Amino acid sequence: MIEQPFVEKYRPRHLQDVVGQEKIVGRLKKFVADSTMPHLIFAGPAGTGKTTSALALVRDIQRGKMKHHQTYLELNASDARGIDVIRTLVKEFAKTIVIEEIPFKVIILDEADHMTGAAQQALRRTMENYTHICRMILICNYSNQIILPIQSRCVVFRFSKLTEEDIRKRIEYVAEQEKITLTPSGLQALIYVANGDLRRAVNYLQASSSIDNTIQEEIVFKIAGRISPEDIRRMIHTALKGKLMEAKSILDTLTLEHGLSARNLLSQMHTEVYDMELEELIKMRIIRILSQIEYRLSRGATEKVQLNALLAKLCLLEG
Amino acid sequence: MKKSQELPWVEKYRPKNTKEMVGFSTNIKKIKDFIKNFEEQQNAGRKIRGSQKAILLEGPPGIGKTTVVYAVANDLGYSVVEMNASDIRTENAIVETLEESISSTDLLSYLMPEKLNRKKIILIDEVDGISGKSDRGGVKAIVSLIKKTKNPIILTCNFYDSKFKSLYDISTKIPCRSLQKATISNLLKEIAEKENLKVDDEIVEAIAMNSGGDMRSAINDLQALSQGVFTDMEFLDMHRDIQEKIFSFLQSMFEQKTIRKARDILSNIDFDYKIIHKIIHANMKAVILDRKDRKEIFNTLLDADNLMNQIMTRMDFSLLSYFFDLVSGGVIVSVTQTISKGYKKFKMPNLGNLRFRFTGETLLEELQNFFYKSKLDIVNQIIPQINEILSIYDEPTRNKRLVQIATELDINSAELKKFVN
């Protein structure tokens, strides 16, 4: 039997199980208690529980009657939802009366910020004309990518990044359920690579556990395509001291042995720089160098040449 | 559960007739006159002039453009045939749908005899939602519909867009302005009373203020507040005016000492992140006094602008993180000398995305000095008003009035002439 992804298996079903976002969840529960809600916009970074909360809200408010394409409709970026779909499928769904005993149907538009302006325009009157039987939840990363007339029809909830504590608890819970052993350093590594994104943390937990049932730091980093923060910092420090060849040999180990791509390496250097013990001005200079290299790589420059140039530029910094 | 309890207040309190409408007073008369005139002319068997067959209600979201059409129709005993952005509006679809619904009698009217054989108003809502691609030929079809219509046609839109210029040309425009703050707060108080909701006057004022003249969002906010979605304080915090938001963003950013902290502030903003560097750029002179610091920051903003350009043209969002670094940390590390608190009177940048494109920037700026309003407001409110005043007169009195207005506003009349039609 193919194992179900942990993210689906352990996706909270009800509002009370949603991790973090206490304030928002508290208010959503109030909607459930009152059996009513306005149109909503959920905005926030990836893996913070937007889709999960939306589904849990629908499940709780429809009290076990929840059925896809009947009492709720979920469309994400993988579905066609251009202007034509909004005018046909979505509109039809919104205006069909349901026989089930539910307060109203719900349409969840995931990644709504990737809908075209025209498609969003087409939503406007549908939202209004059928409010008595249908409400909408729009999910996006940035609410300002949603056109104003729609924002004017919705209440916006902003989801914040999950805290390390929230992620730690959830990972420990999933590991316990799945009988996976966590080493303290393995857990810390999972939290590090997750960077506030619970979905990522759970995915890496599952991937790591398929290699070894005891979660070790190295496995997590390897699977995440990351290297340990210490190695990165060591490389930056060496380069800053002007020791080009020594830094280059660290770089070679990282790229060749760990098979790390240049852009992956850059993004990790970027994450590390903020908290290194350097002057802020130097940090900023490093970030600007990183952004230049990233820019060139995005235009198709050669990885190896650019990475060596990066180290050389770092060497020149502390003159 | 009671049905009424479930309904959002925006729907529950949507005016059914014009007596219940707030704001709009002069425009209601205009719309009624238009419909009555249409009917009279038609009954008399006269040919109706082009611009008297259709009107275009133009104004920001949430002020009641669609509602007023239904209210007027109700007053005058018409029914409304509506087509909006949620309908397919290609040439064929428009012709078929509208012709069918005009000639047919809907099922409901058999149940309600008083509605049988009602005359019909055609409402083409959200004209700006006509998609260039999916609704090919839509605008053309509406134009020809207007030319041969036997029913009065009302169009609505938020902003003028060149894609429906031909519609703009053959219809009479009725500019609808955003509602006054007092109008909104009065209405909110009325609703609160009907709902037995106790809410501080201060909060009502704040909601009205923050709505920016958008009645719908104001009512939504009031309902959200009543449902405990937000506490009063949170509301005040969340829905601050955009200018205030930007101000407090600049203020807290310049207080930070580390890149990380400055960047964290960025993650909490809820205005368009694409313009942050432009906002800082527009306020540079007032805030940064030291010339060397300024040079550094200009340099940083230049890089940020390049990155944003790359992000938007190639959809390369991996660079976004660096953009955030540059506009936050990059700016603050460049500051070596004490800065002025000049951002207290900060300026909005000229975003260059005004829906109307004008050549006469200077004229706009002069009008700005006179009215103390943003350029967008000048374009959306003041110019239409001038237009309206002038439209009463025929040549050559019109020209005389124009010169008179220009003198009063202390602007060049030839410049002004370019702006008004």
Side-chain angles (χ1 to χ4, degrees), chain A residues 289-303:
Chain A
I289 294 172
L290 289 173
S291 80
Q292 283 167 6
I293 304 285
E294 175 97 39
Y295 177 82
R296 292 178 194 159
L297 286 175
S298 80
R299 311 216 68 161
T302 317
E303 290 201 358

Side-chain angles (χ1 to χ4, degrees), chain A residues 50-62:
Chain A
K50 299 183 298 295
T51 311
T52 302
S53 305
L55 288 169
L57 174 64
V58 175
R59 186 169 287 111
D60 286 355
I61 218 164
Q62 299 186 340

Side-chain angles (χ1 to χ4, degrees), chain A residues 209-224:
Chain A
S209 72
S210 66
I211 293 175
D212 185 347
N213 209 36
T214 308
I215 305 296
Q216 308 278 1
E217 187 184 18
E218 304 88 78
I219 300 176
V220 174
F221 282 132
K222 195 156 216 166
I223 286 199

